Amino acid sequence: MNLSLDTLSIVLAGLLGAVVSGNNLSACCGTIIGSGMVNRRSGIIIAVAGYLLGLSIEGPKLFKVREAFLPTETSTEIFLILLATLLIFVGGELTKVPLSLSKALTGTILGVSFAIGALQETSYLVLILIFWVSAPIVATALGVIFVALDDRYSPRNLWVKLSLLKAGLVVMAFLSAYVTGSNALGLISGVPYKQPQPQIS
């Protein structure tokens, strides 16, 4: 164990978590704050609550990604994964290109795993790639369907419609933050996480 590298890795993981949380804050609750549904403080509280609950409840399930592709990582490998991911994410921010941290982090894990010859979970990799390709297509289709359903079945009473939209947007803001906590933050936390080794009596 390299304590200095482990410490730097924890710092990088925290920095990545802060960057992702801040970057997604506007996406999660910018609408409800900008429209005046809630004030800035309440919007941030909703987002933070979603982040923390998502990370604590669903986040540990994302540890499987690192454990599957890199079951015996070293301190150097942990540091390189987090550093490369941060550089990629910063590059995306500087060039104003939409970038998924989950994909960048998974890609760096795969790269390190391939470099050291530890890449064996090809079936899990195929499953991830299928979801990466299909998710934007399915999301686009759902967007079209939901707009059509809204046009057809939306309440004609304007005040009822606005009330439903307000409640729905607040719920979706929380759920968006929850997904960010469980997905991105859970994946980040899983990189430096080391499973306790069973003691041999």
Side-chain angles (χ1 to χ4, degrees), residues 82-97:
L82 293 170
L83 178 61
T85 304
L86 181 61
L87 292 175
I88 293 170
F89 195 74
V90 170
E93 288 293 304
L94 292 176
T95 55
K96 308 298 182 183
V97 175

Side-chain angles (χ1 to χ4, degrees), residues 31-39 42 162-163 165-170:
T31 302
I32 60 175
I33 294 175
S35 62
M37 292 181 184
V38 299
N39 58 37
S42 298
L162 290 176
S163 298
L165 285 175
K166 180 177 180 179
L169 285 172
V170 172

